């Protein structure tokens, strides 16, 4: 963006760029998670954005694209010889990590091409290995840490960026012989403000300039002006072919759904008065809202979730908790929009002290009574500080309640995410240990959002 600022025709404005998964952004455009513009890498996310937001969402013409390759260690890639077909690579001697096609464009493109070439048993085995993992996208760190027995399906641009940032851990590119559709990148203008719309238009124009296209090509992207330089070392020939939609992709997505980890989570977020305080990232409530809507939108679509809020006497009967959304599947657009709307309206509830202990006890009881077989049943508490209700449960009484209520045949885990530096980590570790749960410190937005995604089922 510094190059744009130096142009004579540049607008007098500052652009703030936030990195996030396009799938998560697509499901969080109703309220707190809506940016002024969005760079997406798949038409599927544009459709999802329209379904969830209930509005017309239109992407500009793609300004760049990137081919799909497999990253692995050079020493291992050099042993493949001519065995570079999708059927050789997926399910072969090297474990190729493939991310969820419901949520990642590169996986959609690859599986659209590979699925017709794979036996059903091989496709199911591939999904079982990756869909059941509590991870988001594939990790090139894992490839580097391996002995050469792991590869990762990525875009050419991802691999170029990794090798530029980690020259001592550079990875080889393996190009599947049959090729795959490219991942296309487009800008979506989302602001209704005329001034901001003009700034987005300036960005769209800038991305199509000759200088920018040259920069993109150097970074591993294809543009209308030409192809990027091939990564080195490269095994095979990079080939862009086929469509990233259709029956093969639907089949693969169905197999991933069947193999996915299933989570039912009751999410209770702190709306006590401390959420109005500010730190370097802004008002704490704003941080919570943005992280929550993106995490819920980025969670596995087979997950179920419920939303509670808590502060002293916020409930209709004077309880320290209130349910805003009952359990709902996150793969349904209308239910996801309801989450987004509820989170956007948290401002109207903020105030008072934190009734943390009473909330944990009530949420645990609710999760036990709605226990769902075949799912990881979880209570997720976002805590901005310690318990402040002197007339409710004490820590010892809460621990006694949880110990007495625990049923090994119908387990419910309590996960507490400590927002900022005020959370009572020592007390919360005692609480979560009773249920086999976890305490996670989340001092900032970049820590809170992935912690929420993991707690909601990845």
């Amino acid at each position: 963006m510094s190059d744009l600022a130096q142009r004579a025709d540049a607008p007098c404005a500052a652009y703030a760029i936030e990195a996030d998964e396009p799938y998560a952004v697509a499901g969080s455009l109703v309220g707190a998670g809506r940016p002024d513009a969005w760079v997406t890498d798949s038409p599927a996310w544009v459709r999802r954005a329209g379904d969830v937001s209930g509005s017309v969402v239109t992407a500009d013409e793609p300004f760049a694209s990137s081919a799909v390759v497999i990253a692995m260690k050079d020493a291992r890639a050099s042993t493949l010889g001519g065995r570079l077909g999708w059927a050789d690579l997926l399910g072969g001697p090297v474990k190729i990590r493939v991310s969820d096609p419901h949520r990642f464009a590169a996986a959609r493109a690859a599986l659209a091409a590979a699925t017709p070439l794979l036996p059903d048993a091989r496709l199911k085995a591939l999904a079982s290995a990756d869909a059941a993992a509590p991870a988001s996208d594939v990790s090139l760190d894992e490839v580097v840490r391996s002995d050469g027995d792991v590869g990762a399906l990525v875009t050419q641009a991802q691999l170029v960026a990794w090798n530029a940032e980690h020259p001592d851990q550079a990875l080889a590119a393996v190009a599947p012989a049959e090729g795959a559709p490219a991942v296309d990148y487009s800008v979506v203008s989302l602001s209704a403000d005329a001034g901001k719309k003009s700034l987005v238009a300036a960005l769209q124009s800038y991305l199509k300039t000759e200088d920018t296209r040259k920069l993109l090509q150097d970074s591993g992207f294809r543009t209308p002006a030409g192809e990027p330089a091939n990564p080195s070392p490269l095994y095979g020939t990079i080939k862009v072919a086929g469509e990233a939609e259709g029956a093969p992709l639907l089949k693969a997505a169905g197999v991933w759904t069947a193999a996915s980890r299933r989570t039912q989570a009751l999410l209770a977020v702190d709306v006590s008065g401390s959420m109005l305080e500010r730190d370097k990232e802004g008002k704490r409530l704003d941080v919570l809202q943005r992280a929550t809507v993106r995490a819920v939108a980025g969670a596995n679509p087979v997950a179920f979730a419920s939303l509670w809020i808590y502060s002293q006497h916020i409930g209709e009967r004077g309880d320290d908790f209130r349910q805003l959304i009952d359990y709902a599947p996150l793969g349904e657009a209308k239910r996801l929009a309801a989450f987004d709307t509820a989170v956007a309206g948290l401002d109207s509830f903020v105030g008072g002290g934190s009734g943390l202990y009473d909330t944990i006890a009530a949420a645990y009881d609710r999760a036990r009574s709605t226990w769902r077989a075949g799912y990881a049943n979880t209570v997720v508490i976002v805590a901005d500080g310690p318990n402040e209700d002197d007339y409710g449960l004490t820590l010892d009484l809460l621990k006694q309640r949880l110990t007495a209520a625990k049923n090994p045949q119908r387990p419910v885990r309590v996960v507490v995410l400590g927002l900022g530096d005020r959370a009572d980590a020592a007390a919360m570790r005692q609480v979560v240990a009773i249920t086999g749960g976890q305490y996670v410190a989340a001092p900032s937005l970049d820590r809170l959002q992935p912690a929420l995604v993991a707690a909601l089922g990845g």
Side-chain angles (χ1 to χ4, degrees):
M1 298 306 297
S2 60
D3 292 341
L4 173 58
Q6 294 170 6
R7 293 172 59 91
D9 59 347
C12 184
Y15 292 81
I17 308 298
E18 178 187 349
D20 214 333
E21 294 173 7
Y23 174 83
V25 177
S28 60
L29 299 183
V30 175
R34 188 180 182 93
D36 297 317
W38 165 43
V39 176
T40 180
D41 61 1
S42 172
W45 314 150
V46 178
R47 293 192 298 271
R48 169 177 163 86
D51 291 342
V52 174
S53 67
S55 60
V56 177
V57 179
T58 305
D60 194 16
E61 285 296 314
F63 63 85
S65 64
S66 191
V68 173
V69 297
I70 292 173
M72 66 176 69
K73 288 188 172 180
D74 185 22
R76 194 68 178 87
S78 65
T79 67
L80 296 175
R83 303 185 303 278
L84 299 181
W86 280 115
D88 300 308
L89 295 168
L90 298 185
V94 180
K95 176 186 175 183
I96 307 301
R97 290 288 317 281
V98 182
S99 49
D100 187 347
H102 293 100
R103 293 180 282 176
F104 295 96
R108 295 176 69 84
L111 290 171
T115 296
L117 306 172
L118 301 177
D120 287 353
R122 180 93 58 85
L123 185 64
K124 290 178 180 178
L126 189 67
S128 296
D130 286 324
S136 304
D137 204 358
V138 297
S139 168
L140 291 176
D141 283 307
E142 182 183 353
V143 179
V144 169
R145 291 194 307 268
S146 75
D147 293 330
D149 56 346
V150 176
L153 194 153
V154 295
T155 65
Q156 181 177 343
Q158 283 177 290
L159 181 56
V160 169
W162 171 272
N163 287 347
E165 294 172 8
H166 307 84
D168 296 335
Q169 298 177 323
L171 297 169
V174 176
E178 299 88 355
V183 174
D184 292 323
Y185 300 87
S186 303
V187 177
V188 180
S189 182
L190 295 169
S191 177
D193 180 270
K196 291 181 178 179
K197 288 174 70 173
S198 69
L199 296 177
V200 174
L203 173 61
Q204 291 170 320
S205 297
Y206 167 71
L207 291 170
K208 297 172 184 176
T209 63
E210 182 178 346
D211 289 345
T212 306
R213 285 176 171 172
K214 175 63 167 59
L215 178 63
L216 288 167
Q217 286 169 225
D218 290 344
S219 301
F221 294 92
R222 300 163 66 234
T223 77
E227 300 283 334
N230 282 331
S232 180
L234 169 65
Y235 296 87
T237 302
I238 293 177
K239 180 180 179 182
V240 174
E243 298 293 331
E245 302 293 337
L249 176 59
L250 290 176
K251 177 181 178 180
V255 173
W256 245 257
T257 296
S260 291
R261 297 170 68 247
R262 284 169 161 73
T263 299
Q264 177 165 281
L266 191 160
L267 172 61
V269 299
D270 193 341
V271 292
S272 60
S274 63
M275 296 302 294
L276 296 177
E277 297 176 5
R278 292 181 175 274
D279 56 25
K280 63 182 180 180
E281 290 190 300
K283 190 167 67 176
R284 302 175 76 80
L285 179 65
D286 294 340
V287 171
L288 172 69
Q289 288 173 307
R290 194 160 64 253
T292 300
V293 295
R294 291 284 173 81
V296 170
N300 196 315
V302 300
F304 280 69
S306 172
L307 178 64
W308 284 24
I309 55 176
Y310 70 95
S311 69
Q312 281 183 273
H313 312 309
I314 200 171
E316 295 179 358
R317 298 179 299 177
D319 295 321
D320 290 344
F321 46 86
R322 177 186 292 194
Q323 176 179 284
L324 298 184
I325 301 287
D326 201 356
Y327 285 111
L330 297 182
E332 293 185 9
K334 290 183 178 179
R335 303 296 186 95
L336 197 54
F339 262 91
D340 201 339
T341 300
V343 173
L346 293 184
D347 308 63
S348 62
F349 296 105
V350 176
S354 170
L356 177 58
Y357 294 164
D358 284 358
T359 299
I360 292 175
Y364 190 81
D365 287 344
R366 172 65 174 163
R368 287 177 58 240
S369 68
T370 55
W371 191 86
R372 187 180 293 267
Y375 283 69
N377 291 261
T378 309
V379 171
V380 183
I381 306 289
V382 179
D384 183 51
N387 181 70
E388 297 171 324
D389 185 355
D390 294 333
Y391 298 97
L393 291 174
T394 63
L395 177 60
D396 286 341
L397 287 175
L398 172 61
K399 291 160 60 178
Q400 292 173 24
R401 281 272 297 269
L402 295 177
T403 300
K406 186 171 62 173
N407 181 353
Q409 303 305 315
R410 298 164 67 92
V412 175
R413 295 173 66 243
V414 175
V415 176
V416 178
L417 309 181
L419 179 61
D421 57 5
R422 296 181 62 252
D424 189 345
M428 291 300 95
R429 288 193 175 97
Q430 295 177 53
V431 169
V432 300
I434 296 169
T435 69
Q438 184 181 19
Y439 175 80
V440 180
S444 60
L445 174 62
D446 63 344
R447 294 281 296 279
L448 176 60
Q449 187 172 324
L452 275 169
V453 171
L456 293 171

